[in-house]
Amino acid sequence: MNIILMGPPGSGKGTQAANLATSLAIHAVSSGDLFRDHQRRNTDLGQLARSYMERGVYVPDDVTIGMITEWINDPDHAAGFVLDGFPRTQAQAQALDEALSDRGGIDHMVFIRVSDDELVRRLGGRVICTECQRPYNLNSSPPATAGKCDYCAGELYQRDDDKAEVVSRRIEVYNQETEPVVDYYRQAGSLSEVDGEQPVDEVATALSEAIGARLVG
Ligand code: AMP
């Protein structure tokens, strides 16, 4: 099953993608996490991505498409996936259709809707685990012990691009470049929508209803 989660930065795609993938026993992948992993390993791709990410703008399409299609074509991911953060441009949407053309295409595409004011509030309070990438929100879902991940005890940090000066740029770039892609899918009737301002569990329920999946446990 190939599922795409769309939504602005801070809409909760990462949290929902991880939960959904666990429930369906498939993989979740986030283009942003793949870029951050390259940065930690200091690869050429990581260095290149950093120069865009720290400004809150998109990494060029050819680089992003190459990285994601390689991930999708990995035999370990043949059973399907939940994709978060891709596609974000028209060229990426087209590349995704091509990459999936001989393996059933996209089964479900869900848009998580959150207002700009709420995004700014969430991104300002977000911290991430350096080890497992799990996100927390210091206002609404803080860790049990300050600065430590509840699951793996890794150190929590604030992403450079969640700092106030970059957040507004990211939302602007999303509205300019990705909102038209979302509109295209919406008009084509391919998109389900869920209200992302509900509590995390209720978003998860709405999401599983939208894709017709039965969550276990
Ligand atoms: P995210 O973790 O999804 O918020 O992504 C963080 C940053 O990674 C974005 O602001 C972009 O600079 C870059 N990025 C992630 N996904 C993409 C994509 N599909 N296309 C271009 N840049 C991306």
Side-chain angles (χ1 to χ4, degrees):
M1 187 181 300
N2 304 323
I3 299 172
I4 313 294
L5 293 191
M6 305 220 30
S11 55
K13 299 186 299 296
T15 304
Q16 297 297 338
N19 292 343
L20 191 58
T22 305
S23 308
L24 297 172
I26 54 179
H27 290 272
V29 64
S30 142
S31 43
D33 282 351
L34 291 183
F35 283 133
R36 281 183 287 278
D37 182 53
H38 274 279
Q39 287 179 24
R40 265 188 300 278
R41 292 186 284 120
N42 207 23
T43 65
D44 289 347
L45 193 151
Q47 287 176 16
L48 176 86
R50 178 177 288 118
S51 64
Y52 294 94
M53 290 168 77
E54 65 192 8
R55 287 183 284 132
V57 299
Y58 288 169
V59 178
D61 278 336
D62 55 339
V63 178
T64 309
I65 290 169
M67 179 181 73
I68 289 288
T69 45
E70 188 185 327
W71 190 95
I72 287 176
N73 290 329
D74 183 327
D76 282 352
H77 307 141
F81 48 78
V82 184
L83 184 49
D84 140 30
F86 186 99
R88 269 166 146 127
T89 65
Q90 206 65 56
Q92 293 178 16
Q94 206 171 331
L96 184 63
D97 278 345
E98 282 163 22
L100 296 178
S101 62
D102 58 351
R103 45 184 285 186
I106 299 168
D107 294 295
H108 297 283
M109 183 172 273
V110 186
F111 176 69
I112 305 181
R113 192 178 51 247
V114 175
S115 68
D116 284 2
D117 286 350
E118 175 66 7
L119 297 175
V120 170
R121 198 184 65 75
R122 286 188 188 179
L123 292 170
R126 179 161 77 174
V127 288
I128 310 273
C129 174
T130 42
E131 302 297 325
C132 71
Q133 318 306 318
R134 193 172 289 268
Y136 293 83
N137 191 291
L138 297 178
N139 308 314
S140 55
S141 55
T145 308
K148 295 269 181 226
C149 178
D150 292 349
Y151 293 85
C152 72
E155 296 286 326
L156 303 182
Y157 77 106
Q158 185 185 39
R159 279 169 45 177
D160 284 343
D161 62 349
D162 280 346
K163 296 191 171 138
E165 59 277 19
V166 187
V167 162
S168 51
R169 180 80 186 120
R170 286 170 63 207
I171 294 175
E172 202 178 293
V173 169
Y174 170 85
N175 286 332
Q176 269 168 15
E177 302 206 32
T178 307
E179 193 54 40
V181 181
V182 172
D183 275 344
Y184 167 79
Y185 286 124
R186 189 180 281 128
Q187 276 161 23
S190 325
L191 201 69
S192 316
E193 299 203 25
V194 301
D195 172 5
E197 296 199 22
Q198 313 170 78
V200 175
D201 288 355
E202 288 172 32
V203 178
T205 303
L207 196 53
S208 65
E209 281 170 7
I211 66 166
R214 287 268 163 268
L215 295 186
V216 180

